[in-house]
Amino acid sequence: MKAREVDRRMRLLAERQHGVVGRDQLLAEGIDRQAIGYRVGSPDWVLVTRRVLRLVGAPRTPEQRAMAAALDAGGVLSHAAAAAVWGLRGFKLDRLHVSRRRGVTTRRSRLARLHVSRVLPDHHCAVERGIPVTTLARTVVDLAATEHPNRVEVALHAALRRGMRWDGLAEVVVELDATGRPGIGVVKRLVQRHYGRPALGSGLEARLLRALLDAGLPEPRRQVALGDGSQAGQVDFYYEDAGLVIEVDGGWCHETPADVRRDKRRTAELVAAGFRVLSLSEDLIRADPAEAARLVADARRRTLGLACDPR
């Protein structure tokens, strides 16, 4: 292969991969070891590790570091790193995890925490933002081995909002259940608790729902469209028997004065339509979820005798 064609292929590959390429990839492209070695000593390429080259001038980003870790280990981003690549709230590319199939190679990783898996079929892997990662469903299951169950629950709902299907998650659980995988019991319990229901909108909603159930309250309907049925009329929780709407006021979704005005107008419209609205602050839910549940119980008890559904 001529030198110009080698340079062209390497640059095209680097452009698709956040500025880095792997030696194994280059060999698979038909570029021989001598040509690779020559470019390592050129002004255009530098070594990240013995197995990964970086194009000089390519922006140094978290995505580039993540891509380099996957190439170096011969695997895919997984666990918290995959959650960050998928954009699940609360995860950043500051903890790199890479998973690979057992038997592929014995190489170690200098860039990430390495997980060697007996079961990592192709349908558990994907490409997101140009980076090889575990699928959303496999990522949720993997997180159960390294993260607190409450954090896994939040990630599960975020993955559902991102497009994960319930049946896809259930399939991964079945495939991994027989392996004795750490955390699989956590995911099975979460699937049993939430299967088929709408995804919660935030970690705060998950925390409040746990508090309501712990207090012995019946489970409310979640993410319900009231009023005219539009997205603007969607509420966090709804006790239909009492006509009681529960709204979680998280600061992250009230970032501008316009957001606050919109929410106040929506609350006024719900009250005018005959619904009873209880708003609970982020501070209260985080500091004392049991007290938040008590307020809900009191509001529901007071309204049950007068409840009506104006729809």
Side-chain angles (χ1 to χ4, degrees):
M1 189 182 300
K2 293 184 178 180
R4 182 175 297 178
E5 178 64 11
V6 170
D7 290 332
R8 187 185 72 83
R9 291 194 182 189
M10 289 181 66
R11 285 180 173 274
L12 285 175
L13 187 58
E15 288 172 3
R16 297 197 300 268
Q17 299 185 159
H18 302 279
V20 292
V21 297
R23 283 184 183 269
D24 292 345
Q25 291 180 311
L26 300 179
L27 293 171
E29 285 274 332
I31 301 173
D32 60 41
R33 297 181 187 277
Q34 184 177 358
I36 297 171
Y38 174 78
R39 278 152 186 84
V40 169
S42 76
D44 295 328
W45 297 91
V46 295
L47 284 177
V48 179
T49 70
R50 291 190 307 107
R51 294 180 286 266
V52 181
L53 292 76
R54 178 175 63 84
L55 181 63
V56 172
R60 305 290 289 273
T61 64
E63 289 78 11
Q64 182 185 94
R65 182 167 164 265
M67 187 74 208
L71 292 173
D72 181 65
V76 298
L77 268 288
S78 62
H79 298 75
V85 172
W86 282 110
L88 304 189
R89 183 178 293 276
F91 292 93
K92 298 179 180 179
L93 274 174
D94 55 357
R95 293 185 293 156
L96 295 183
H97 295 253
V98 173
S99 291
R100 71 169 181 238
R101 298 182 187 92
R102 179 174 295 180
V104 171
T105 178
T106 59
R107 68 176 63 165
R108 298 182 178 181
S109 173
R110 294 172 47 200
L111 303 178
R113 178 178 173 183
L114 182 61
H115 305 264
V116 179
S117 177
R118 286 184 292 164
V119 181
L120 187 60
D122 288 342
H123 62 272
H124 286 197
C125 304
V127 176
E128 177 67 13
R129 290 159 56 185
I131 302 172
V133 295
T134 49
T135 60
L136 281 164
R138 177 60 186 260
T139 298
V140 169
V141 175
D142 285 343
L143 286 172
T146 59
E147 306 292 328
H148 189 280
N150 291 350
R151 190 165 167 81
V152 178
E153 184 176 26
V154 173
L156 182 149
H157 290 288
L160 288 169
R161 296 194 301 274
R162 188 70 173 77
M164 182 184 73
R165 301 189 333 272
W166 275 116
D167 56 352
L169 178 60
E171 289 172 6
V172 173
V173 170
V174 170
E175 289 177 296
L176 296 178
D177 192 15
T179 67
R181 189 172 188 80
I184 196 72
V186 171
V187 182
K188 289 169 71 174
R189 288 191 293 274
L190 290 174
V191 170
Q192 185 177 19
R193 182 188 304 169
H194 298 290
Y195 189 87
R197 296 177 175 87
L200 297 175
S202 68
L204 278 177
E205 291 179 25
R207 184 184 293 250
L208 177 61
L209 180 59
R210 286 194 298 271
L212 296 177
L213 299 179
D214 289 345
L217 285 162
E219 182 172 343
R221 293 175 61 191
R222 57 179 78 169
Q223 301 299 316
V224 181
L226 299 177
D228 61 5
S230 68
Q231 187 71 19
Q234 184 165 293
V235 300
D236 297 330
F237 296 110
Y238 180 52
Y239 279 111
E240 191 167 5
D241 57 353
L244 177 63
V245 171
I246 306 166
E247 288 285 71
V248 175
D249 289 339
W252 63 271
C253 62
H254 300 271
E255 296 177 349
T256 68
D259 293 332
V260 175
R261 288 195 297 271
R262 181 197 64 225
D263 289 345
K264 287 184 176 180
R265 178 175 178 177
R266 185 181 66 156
T267 298
E269 289 174 349
L270 288 169
V271 171
F275 297 100
R276 294 155 182 83
V277 181
L278 175 64
S279 295
L280 299 173
S281 70
E282 176 177 359
D283 291 342
L284 174 62
I285 296 170
R286 290 193 183 280
D288 196 347
E291 173 64 11
R294 187 191 67 77
L295 292 174
V296 172
D298 288 347
R300 182 170 179 270
R301 189 162 46 245
R302 286 196 303 270
T303 57
L304 265 175
L306 304 173
C308 64
D309 189 341
R311 287 177 300 171

